[in-house]
Amino acid sequence: MTGRVIVITSGKGGVGKTTTSANIGSALAKRGHSVVLIDTDIGLRNLDLLLGLENRIVYTLVDVVEERCKLKQALVKDKKNPNLCLLAAAQTRDKSAVNAEQITKITEKLKKDYDYVLIDCPAGIEQGFQTAIAGASEAIVVTTPEMSAIRDADRIIGLLEAAEGIESYKLLINRVRPAMIRTKDMISVETLVDTLSCQPIGIIPEDTGIITSTNRGEPIVNDEKSLAGQAYMNVARRIDGEDVPFLDIDKPKDLMGKIKKFFSGLKKQGKEQ
């Protein structure tokens, strides 16, 4: 049985696509799967930083393509999880250094030895995007509840539908803030899903811990107390085929929140009586 190749894309930059790639890859590896992450954002690589592997990169994707090394030589094992490997992007080249045929050849080789091959796609819809999706049969579209991000996600979904190799795609909604949704300052998850007509595979709450984990070079999925970490782990479980309910990210986390919820419940009871 060959592995699955999933491209993680967004259209718009800055929505958390690389963070999503690092966390889903780590979550699948924690579940016992063999996983390779490929950074195709040539010239602007960041996936190595998020995994804390920046000092271990010797060879890159471009080195493999230009036959300066073998594919296995370029794969860097994760420090904490031997099931996870990274194929890093080159920093000193541009996106024209790798084409669709070359990335397909690499993914074909990797899926013979690994359960999952995850491709971190560059932002935009130009050559870098077309190259990244070439080797994949599945896609996860990352967006945030903002109009510009939703519009770009809609454009990406249209391109994925037109792509020959993509058999299925799902939506991951990042940086959701329940308090802002309640005050109607943020688009609701239901409205977003309805607008894009795309099945969600994950709803990730806004979590300041992600900034800390990124700076440490450690995916937040390794923090079991983090709500975002739990949400990413649930995405991995859904990718695996499990039927997992979405987290209740609207739970009050502090004492004041619990007290307010308690009193609002009493007020409702009083009105009903």
Side-chain angles (χ1 to χ4, degrees), residues 7-13 17 40-41 95 100 121-134 141-142 148-163:
V7 64
I8 297 168
T9 182
S10 65
K12 188 179 189 296
K17 175 176 43 57
T40 59
D41 199 358
K95 290 168 184 64
C121 180
I125 57 171
E126 290 79 36
Q127 185 187 341
F129 167 78
Q130 297 297 341
T131 299
I133 68 167
V141 181
V142 182
S148 59
I150 294 166
R151 185 169 68 176
D152 286 1
D154 194 32
R155 178 87 171 102
I156 287 292
I157 288 167
L159 292 170
L160 291 172
E161 284 178 346

Side-chain angles (χ1 to χ4, degrees), residues 85-141:
C85 286
L86 169 68
L87 179 55
Q91 280 182 299
T92 55
R93 303 289 290 276
D94 61 32
K95 290 168 184 64
S96 64
V98 180
N99 62 39
E101 189 181 337
Q102 290 164 333
I103 204 82
T104 302
K105 197 174 175 183
I106 287 170
T107 55
E108 286 297 320
K109 281 183 185 175
L110 289 170
K111 71 182 185 181
K112 288 175 185 173
D113 298 321
Y114 292 87
D115 299 326
Y116 287 98
V117 179
L118 303 183
I119 302 169
D120 183 24
C121 180
I125 57 171
E126 290 79 36
Q127 185 187 341
F129 167 78
Q130 297 297 341
T131 299
I133 68 167
S137 58
E138 302 172 57
I140 293 173
V141 181

Side-chain angles (χ1 to χ4, degrees), residues 253-271:
K253 296 174 190 63
D254 58 356
L255 182 62
M256 282 307 295
K258 287 176 183 175
I259 292 167
K260 283 176 185 174
K261 194 169 184 180
F262 173 74
F263 280 113
S264 65
L266 286 180
K267 282 180 184 175
K268 277 184 184 176
Q269 283 179 11
K271 284 178 183 177

Side-chain angles (χ1 to χ4, degrees), residues 229-254:
Q230 291 170 40
Y232 276 122
M233 183 56 78
N234 284 349
V235 172
R237 290 169 65 192
R238 291 184 196 106
I239 289 170
D240 262 348
E242 287 187 34
D243 186 12
V244 187
F246 289 98
L247 285 176
D248 179 7
I249 60 174
D250 206 5
K251 285 178 185 172
K253 296 174 190 63
D254 58 356

Side-chain angles (χ1 to χ4, degrees), residues 2-115:
T2 57
R4 291 163 63 184
V5 184
I6 305 170
V7 64
I8 297 168
T9 182
S10 65
K12 188 179 189 296
V15 296
K17 175 176 43 57
T18 300
T19 301
T20 296
S21 300
N23 278 286
I24 293 177
S26 297
L28 287 167
K30 276 167 78 82
R31 287 176 60 79
H33 296 293
S34 54
V35 183
V36 177
L37 284 165
I38 305 177
D39 190 347
T40 59
D41 199 358
I42 298 165
L44 293 169
R45 80 174 186 218
N46 284 309
L47 197 47
D48 56 324
L49 286 170
L50 270 66
L51 295 167
L53 298 174
E54 65 276 12
N55 295 325
R56 296 193 180 186
I57 308 301
V58 178
Y59 296 110
T60 68
L61 173 60
V62 174
D63 290 320
V64 175
V65 164
E66 295 180 351
E67 298 182 348
R68 279 191 291 275
C69 70
K70 290 180 180 177
L71 180 55
K72 281 187 179 178
Q73 286 179 287
L75 297 176
V76 181
K77 276 196 176 180
D78 186 58
K79 291 175 185 175
K80 294 196 172 179
N81 198 325
N83 291 335
L84 182 66
C85 286
L86 169 68
L87 179 55
Q91 280 182 299
T92 55
R93 303 289 290 276
D94 61 32
K95 290 168 184 64
S96 64
V98 180
N99 62 39
E101 189 181 337
Q102 290 164 333
I103 204 82
T104 302
K105 197 174 175 183
I106 287 170
T107 55
E108 286 297 320
K109 281 183 185 175
L110 289 170
K111 71 182 185 181
K112 288 175 185 173
D113 298 321
Y114 292 87
D115 299 326

